[in-house]
Amino acid sequence: MKKFTNLKSIPAYLPIVNIDTDMIIPKQFLKTIKRTGLGKSLFFEMRYDQDGNEIKDFILNKECKDVDILVIGDGISAAKKIANTIDPNISVTVFKNFGTAYFKHEEYEIEFVGSRKESYVSSSRNPIVQTGTLEDDINRRDFKINSIAISLNTHNFGELVDLHDGLSDINQKIINTPLDSNITFSDDPLRMLRAIRFAAQLDFQIAPNILESIHTIKKRIEIISWERITEEIIKSLKTEKPSIAFYHFKETGLLKYIFPELDVMSGVEVINGMSHKDVFIHTLQVVDNAAKLSPKMEIRFAALVHDIAKPPTKKFDAKKGWSYHGHEELGRRMLKTVASRMKISNQLKDYLMNLTKLHLRPIALAKKNITDSAIRRLMFDAGDNIDDLMILCRADITTKNQFKS
C-alpha cells in the first residue's frame, strides 16, 4: 500500500502548495467522526465527479462540497450514526440494494458506501455485489485517477492510499485502468465512453492499451441502455473542446454503435478532379466553434447534427460538382428517428429539428437583397430559437469565405 504521510508532499502537475485536509472535508464532519468512535474504518474517496472537479478541487486546495466516504464495514449504519450525531433531524437517504446512504448538511452532500467487491455476468453491466476489503473496493474502480483515498482513521489520519499510482496518472495527465482494461470494459462497457469523456473534460491522454481495449471490445456497448449512452454524449458536448471525444469515438469504432449517422460522414470522394469536404471533420469544427461561442449544450448538439443528412443527399454533377440538396429538410426528418432511439426529450428533439431545418436560411438571405418580409418569416419560423440559430450559423462558417460553410 503506497502512502504519503504528509499531504503537502503530494506531487502534481498543477501549481499547488499547502494541501489542508480541513479544507477538503468539513471541519465539523471530522469532529463528528471522532465523537462517534468510527475513526478506525473510514476513508475519504478522491474521485472525479461528472464534471471532473473533485480531485481538481482537492489538488487546488479547494473545499469539496460532495464528500464520498468509504466505510470498511456497514456504510448505511455509519451514515445514520454520523448524521444523528451532527443533527438528529437530518434525513438519511438509503439505497439498501447498493449498500449506500447519503445525507445533506448545510451546503454539503455526504455519501457513504461500504467496501465491496463486484462480479459481473456478460449480459449486464450491473454487478453482483459482495462485502469486501479496502483493497477489493479500490480494485473495482474504473480508472486509476479514481482509485485514490485519504485515511480518516485516528491512527493514520491524512495518509494517502494510492494502490495503483493514481497520482502518477494525474501528474502525467493520462487515463488508465487499475486492472486489466479488457476485463474492466467488458464488465461495464459504459466505462469506455467515460474514459473518452474524461479525456475530453480534463484534457488528458488515453493510454494506448486503453484505446486498443476499447477498439477490441467496442461491440459490448450494445448492452448499455440508450439513456446512459446519450447521457455520456451530452456530457462530452459540454466539454471545452467536444471534438476530442468524438474523434476518439470514431477512432475506436464506438461511433458506429452510439451515433451511426455521424460515423458515415467521414471521407472525401473525388470525381473528375472535384472533391467535397470531409463532412465529419467539418461537423466537429462547427461543434468546437459553437463551444467557443456559447456554453449552451443544446447549440452544440445542434451543431453536431445540423449536417446529419449530407451523406444520403450527396450527389455529383459533372458541371456543378458536389451538392447536398434538401439535406436540411431530410435532416429534420431523420432527427425524429435519432431522438426516439437516443431517448431524447421532446423539447430537445423539437429544438434540434428546428435549427437543422433552418441552418441554411440566414446565410442564404445574406447572399440576396434581403427584405423585411424574409426576415420576419425567418424570425417566425425560428421563434425563441432565433438567437441560437444565429450562433449556429456563425459556428458553421469554417472557411474563409463567409458565405460558404
Side-chain angles (χ1 to χ4, degrees):
M1 182 179 294
K2 184 178 181 180
K3 299 178 181 178
F4 291 82
T5 56
N6 182 350
L7 290 179
K8 294 181 182 179
S9 71
I10 298 175
Y13 68 88
L14 294 170
I16 60 163
V17 291
N18 299 326
I19 299 291
D20 183 352
T21 310
D22 289 344
M23 275 297 294
I24 60 172
I25 306 172
K27 292 182 180 180
Q28 65 269 37
F29 178 72
L30 297 176
K31 293 177 181 178
T32 300
I33 290 174
K34 296 177 181 179
R35 293 205 304 272
T36 59
L38 290 170
K40 295 182 179 180
S41 60
L42 303 181
F43 295 84
F44 170 70
E45 296 184 276
M46 291 168 51
R47 295 185 300 179
Y48 282 93
D49 61 18
Q50 66 176 358
D51 296 316
N53 288 330
E54 190 168 294
I55 291 184
K56 280 183 177 179
D57 286 349
F58 164 75
I59 292 177
L60 287 171
N61 203 17
K62 294 181 180 179
E63 188 173 20
C64 297
K65 302 300 182 183
D66 296 316
V67 180
D68 297 297
I69 303 297
L70 171 63
V71 183
I72 310 305
D74 190 341
I76 295 174
S77 296
K80 290 179 177 178
K81 189 170 184 179
I82 289 176
N84 185 68
T85 304
I86 294 174
D87 182 350
N89 295 317
I90 289 179
S91 176
V92 178
T93 302
V94 173
F95 301 96
K96 192 172 182 179
N97 290 343
F98 298 99
T100 64
Y102 88 96
F103 61 84
K104 293 182 179 180
H105 176 59
E106 296 177 351
E107 70 269 41
Y108 301 101
E109 290 191 10
I110 304 173
E111 182 172 356
F112 295 77
V113 59
S115 56
R116 58 189 181 179
K117 57 183 177 180
E118 299 173 343
S119 58
Y120 292 80
V121 295
S122 61
S123 59
S124 173
R125 65 176 289 266
N126 297 319
I128 300 168
V129 178
Q130 298 174 285
T131 301
T133 64
L134 171 63
E135 188 170 358
D136 288 330
D137 201 274
I138 295 295
N139 286 342
R140 71 179 178 84
R141 303 307 168 81
D142 50 5
F143 308 114
K144 290 182 180 182
I145 60 174
N146 284 337
S147 67
I148 307 168
I150 301 173
S151 173
L152 302 181
N153 301 326
T154 304
H155 68 283
N156 63 344
F157 181 84
E159 289 186 357
L160 215 69
V161 179
D162 187 13
L163 306 184
H164 298 288
D165 288 326
L167 283 176
S168 177
D169 277 13
I170 293 174
N171 292 331
Q172 296 180 59
K173 305 179 72 173
I174 196 164
I175 304 292
N176 210 333
T177 57
L179 304 179
D180 186 318
S181 55
N182 287 330
I183 296 174
T184 296
F185 294 142
S186 182
D187 284 346
D188 184 357
L190 186 67
R191 290 170 174 167
M192 295 187 288
L193 301 186
R194 284 169 51 82
I196 290 172
R197 190 249 300 173
F198 275 137
Q201 273 182 336
L202 303 169
D203 193 22
F204 278 26
Q205 297 297 311
I206 302 176
N209 64 296
I210 300 301
L211 290 172
E212 184 178 344
S213 290
I214 293 174
H215 187 271
T216 300
I217 299 172
K218 57 185 180 293
K219 199 173 190 303
R220 285 282 290 161
I221 201 68
E222 291 181 324
I223 74 168
I224 302 299
S225 71
W226 275 105
E227 289 87 349
R228 298 306 298 273
I229 291 172
T230 300
E231 182 182 4
E232 287 299 324
I233 289 174
I234 286 175
K235 288 178 180 178
S236 296
L237 284 170
K238 291 179 177 179
T239 61
E240 185 174 349
K241 191 175 182 181
S243 64
I244 294 173
F246 288 91
Y247 277 122
H248 279 313
F249 291 148
K250 177 65 177 176
E251 291 161 4
T252 58
L254 277 172
L255 196 63
K256 174 183 175 182
Y257 298 94
I258 67 173
F259 219 134
E261 294 84 0
L262 299 183
D263 187 58
V264 298
M265 286 181 173
S266 60
V268 175
E269 204 172 342
V270 181
I271 298 179
N272 297 339
M274 290 184 279
S275 63
H276 58 79
K277 283 184 179 181
D278 186 308
V279 180
F280 183 68
I281 292 175
H282 165 73
T283 293
L284 295 189
Q285 288 175 336
V286 178
V287 173
D288 284 347
N289 288 346
K292 293 175 183 176
L293 293 170
S294 172
K296 191 172 181 179
M297 179 280 296
E298 291 83 357
I299 297 177
R300 302 176 186 196
F301 209 140
L304 188 68
V305 300
H306 78 289
D307 280 343
I308 198 170
K310 275 192 171 179
T313 58
K314 183 174 71 172
K315 292 183 179 180
F316 178 77
D317 181 274
K319 294 181 179 179
K320 297 181 180 179
W322 297 97
S323 67
Y324 307 94
H325 292 309
H327 78 275
E328 69 277 17
E329 172 56 26
L330 180 58
R332 184 190 72 83
R333 286 185 269 128
M334 286 175 63
L335 284 171
K336 292 181 181 179
T337 302
V338 171
S340 176
R341 180 185 74 229
M342 296 180 70
K343 311 299 182 186
I344 291 172
S345 70
N346 287 333
Q347 182 179 3
L348 180 55
K349 177 195 71 174
D350 292 342
Y351 174 92
L352 296 176
M353 290 173 64
N354 183 240
L355 264 64
T356 297
K357 170 66 176 176
L358 299 175
H359 78 272
L360 296 179
R361 288 264 293 274
I363 294 294
L365 289 176
K367 294 178 180 179
K368 304 174 182 177
N369 293 323
I370 193 167
T371 64
D372 289 345
S373 61
I375 294 175
R376 284 195 297 269
R377 284 195 300 273
L378 176 61
M379 294 182 68
F380 177 81
D381 290 342
D384 292 339
N385 301 329
I386 187 66
D387 290 339
D388 290 1
L389 177 62
M390 294 302 137
I391 293 173
L392 174 60
C393 290
R394 284 182 61 196
D396 197 18
I397 299 172
T398 60
T399 68
K400 293 181 180 180
N401 182 350
Q402 62 179 326
F403 297 120
K404 186 177 180 181
S405 62

